[in-house]
Every structure is written in structure tokens, then in C-alpha cells.
Amino acid sequence: MTPLLAIIGGTGLTALDPLQITGSEHPSTPYGEPSSPLIRGQLGERSVVFLARHGLDHTLPPHKINYRANLWALHQTGVQQIVAVAAVGGIRDDMAPGVLAFPDQIIDYTYGRACTFFEENLSQVTHIDFTEPYCPDLRNRLILAARQLHLGARESCTYAAMPGPRLETAAEIRKLARDGCDIVGMTGMPEAALARELGLRYATCAVVANWAAGKVAGQITMAEIEQNLQHSMARVKNLLIQLIALLDPP
């Protein structure tokens, strides 16, 4: 059965508890092995497939993730739409820890990552339109699902994709704010662009895990991030169940 939706889980979401698992796959791709097995199951009585972006034990740092293998493996299942869950830092003043946000733009500051499928054995150079990097229809359904659940999600923002794995300096965050960025993460690119190259409908549910560097006094700790994500992921799971009911069958 072709899954209705693929869910890519980021930091804080290496497993999807409400998922009634029906099987798993260990696919191979022309680009190597994906981050984790593909977990198939039922979510809200609809077929979905789940992939843990950082691996099931959260051992893959952002710059070591095989984004091409991940997207290719999901594409092979026949899925047409993907929701990517991502932990981020909050830059804009209303992006406090615990907030859910659905970015509509992204700025790519990463480097050195394999970022395209279009580089070998081409009959012609291929360029994708990336004016709107996230699927408007899937974003709108995420927004509707969040409204129905009264989650107070931020419905428009710009995601800054940074190289990682270190967190940013306060000066870097000030620069990102001047550039128009509202949230900052490490995995948004090339994931979004690779999905577009494969013709997949892709949207991100960003979970603000911490204030970005320099926004508040003191250091950012992993304990703080993990605590905030733990409190937020129950709402993300409810959001995904609500979203499923709003999606058209494949």
C-alpha cells in the first residue's frame, strides 16, 4: 500500500508513539543507506511511513546525514508528501521555546553537503524552481490542523539552515536576524531542495527548542533543549494525527 504521508522525525522525535507499526524496511539506494529503517504503520487509520533523520539512536550529526539516501528511499515507497519535523532555535521575539512554526521560506547557509540529484550522467543541466521552497497546499493543511487544535502555531517564518553541529554565536544570530531569519536549524537543507527535485510535496513543522544564542542571558544546554522538546512532541503527534484526517487519499 502506498503511504499517504511520510514523516521525517528530527531531534526529539526518533519514534512515533501513536503509530501502529505494520512493518519496516532497510532499503538500499544509489546514494547509500538512509539514516534509519523505514517504519510503516497506521496513523489515524491512514498508512504512513516514518524515518528518523538522525538515526534511531540519534547518532548522526546534521552534516553527516545522508539526505539524498533518505529522500530517495522515501520516494521509492511511492509517497507523494512529506512532513519534516525539526527542532530549531527561536530568533524572532515571538518564537519562544515550545512554539510550533511552519516556515514558508528558507535561507541556506550550509556548505559541503551533497545537495542535488542532478550532477552525473545528465542529458542536460537541470534547474528547479525554488521560489516557494515548501508546498503551499501541505503547509495550509498543517496550518488548518494546528488551528483546529488551538496550538497557536506561527504560520509564516523564514528558516535559517546552518551547518552545525555546533550552535551559533550571538553575532551569527544577529546577522541571521538582519537577513530576515526567524528560526534557525541545521537540517532544513538540502532536504527541502532534494524533495523538490523528486517532485515531492514537502513541508516542515518546526519545534522551537530554545532561544537562539544571545537572545537571553546564559548558555544553551542540551538539557534545556531536551526538556523543551519533550513537552512539545505530544502536541506535534496530535498535530500529525489531525493533519492525516485533512489529507486527500493518494
Side-chain angles (χ1 to χ4, degrees):
M1 179 185 297
T2 300
L4 175 66
L5 179 72
I7 299 162
I8 299 177
T11 300
L13 191 65
T14 55
L16 196 57
D17 298 337
L19 186 68
Q20 299 177 15
I21 297 174
T22 59
S24 65
E25 305 169 15
H26 293 76
S28 60
T29 80
Y31 305 96
E33 299 297 317
S35 296
S36 76
L38 303 186
I39 309 298
R40 288 181 179 263
Q42 299 292 118
L43 186 66
E45 300 183 355
R46 308 295 284 272
S47 174
V48 302
V49 60
F50 176 81
L51 182 146
R53 184 190 288 116
H54 295 278
L56 294 179
D57 297 321
H58 200 268
T59 53
L60 292 171
H63 65 297
K64 288 292 188 180
I65 293 169
N66 191 337
Y67 295 94
R68 292 194 297 184
N70 287 352
L71 272 296
W72 193 269
L74 292 174
H75 181 56
Q76 284 181 317
T77 69
V79 73
Q80 292 297 310
Q81 44 201 357
I82 297 174
V83 169
V85 180
V88 299
I91 300 175
R92 202 168 74 196
D93 288 345
D94 64 343
M95 293 293 186
V99 163
L100 303 186
F102 309 131
D104 51 0
Q105 284 294 323
I106 192 166
I107 300 178
D108 187 8
Y109 300 92
T110 66
Y111 51 85
R113 300 181 182 185
C115 61
T116 181
F117 295 111
F118 299 129
E119 61 182 8
E120 301 289 346
N121 303 314
L122 301 179
S123 59
Q124 62 182 25
V125 175
T126 302
H127 302 283
I128 58 166
D129 177 77
F130 210 49
T131 307
E132 301 292 335
Y134 301 99
C135 171
D137 178 68
L138 190 53
R139 281 191 70 258
N140 287 338
R141 295 186 195 221
L142 271 171
I143 289 168
L144 178 57
R147 288 178 179 175
Q148 291 174 342
L149 294 174
H150 307 289
L151 295 180
R154 307 298 182 256
E155 299 177 358
S156 175
C157 58
T158 296
Y159 178 120
M162 297 293 280
R166 68 168 177 84
L167 298 175
E168 298 73 36
T169 69
E172 286 170 333
I173 293 302
R174 291 194 295 270
K175 178 187 186 302
L176 295 182
R178 292 193 297 271
D179 286 351
C181 299
D182 305 301
I183 54 177
V184 57
M186 302 175 188
T187 59
M189 287 293 286
E191 196 172 88
L194 293 169
R196 179 62 54 84
E197 288 186 351
L198 292 173
L200 300 171
R201 298 191 289 276
Y202 175 97
T204 288
C205 173
V207 184
V208 181
N210 56 278
W211 284 112
K215 293 291 293 182
V216 294
Q219 294 183 342
I220 302 167
T221 67
M222 288 307 300
E224 169 196 356
I225 290 172
E226 290 166 2
Q227 182 178 27
N228 289 332
L229 288 176
Q230 185 176 8
H231 292 157
S232 299
M233 283 307 165
R235 292 188 299 139
V236 171
K237 293 169 184 177
N238 290 336
L239 174 67
L240 293 171
I241 292 171
Q242 190 77 7
L243 172 68
I244 284 284
L246 298 175
L247 296 178
D248 299 327

